[in-house]
Amino acid sequence: MKERTIDIVFAVLSAAFGIFLIFFGLHEAGIDTDVSMDENVIDNMMFTVPGIILLADSAVYVFRKRLFRTDKGFLLGNLAIVILVGFIAECVYFQFIHYGISRPQLMMMVPAILITLVFALFVLIVDGMYICVRKAAGLGK
């Protein structure tokens, strides 16, 4: 029962922060600058896309027992999932949704990589706290 409660609490916290990032990103996208269209894509890449990924990543906490056997496997597996899915989602957003196929933006891959790595570091810290809470409750392997 303790294990399921910890999983659900972290999943809810992850989903709540993801929803907050989505709404913050949609509300604040490009409104504070003179070049709002240029800033709009970066704001959405920094807030909205990671919020969607964090919302989807909340399922990893709920299904942790089925997906990963060890804590090390969970840390590395979830980090790999977040980096891979994050980079693909960032590229899909700026290339297919914002600019379109007719205007390729290859240099936008640099901010996509940087944003994904910073976001992955945040997820790694949260996953570390999750494992610490599990170990404190006597559930770590």
Side-chain angles (χ1 to χ4, degrees):
M1 184 64 181
K2 273 194 293 190
E3 182 176 12
R4 198 73 177 147
T5 304
I6 293 170
D7 294 347
I8 291 172
V9 165
F10 271 87
V12 168
L13 289 174
S14 177
F17 192 64
I19 291 170
F20 170 75
L21 280 177
I22 292 168
F23 285 127
F24 182 76
L26 292 175
H27 181 262
E28 295 295 320
I31 62 169
D32 295 334
T33 62
D34 294 335
V35 286
S36 62
M37 281 308 289
D38 294 337
E39 200 66 31
N40 187 17
V41 66
I42 296 294
D43 286 346
N44 279 327
M45 286 174 68
M46 284 189 331
F47 298 115
T48 307
V49 175
I52 293 168
I53 295 167
L54 197 58
L55 185 62
D57 191 52
S58 64
V60 172
Y61 295 107
V62 174
F63 298 115
R64 183 226 182 264
K65 190 173 183 179
R66 295 180 193 158
L67 296 173
F68 307 104
R69 293 182 185 176
T70 63
D71 290 339
K72 187 167 93 172
F74 171 72
L75 271 177
L76 296 176
N78 196 24
L79 183 65
I81 289 169
V82 166
I83 289 174
L84 180 65
V85 171
F87 179 69
I88 290 171
E90 295 280 356
C91 290
V92 164
Y93 168 71
F94 77 77
Q95 189 57 61
F96 295 113
I97 297 172
H98 189 77
Y99 289 109
I101 299 173
S102 62
R103 296 187 307 162
Q105 302 290 323
L106 298 177
M107 289 303 293
M108 288 298 290
M109 289 172 65
V110 174
I113 291 169
L114 295 175
I115 291 167
T116 301
L117 290 177
V118 169
F119 179 66
L121 180 65
F122 168 75
V123 170
L124 184 65
I125 291 169
V126 172
D127 288 348
M129 290 187 326
Y130 171 75
I131 289 175
C132 288
V133 169
R134 285 178 50 86
K135 286 193 186 262
L139 300 170
K141 287 187 199 177

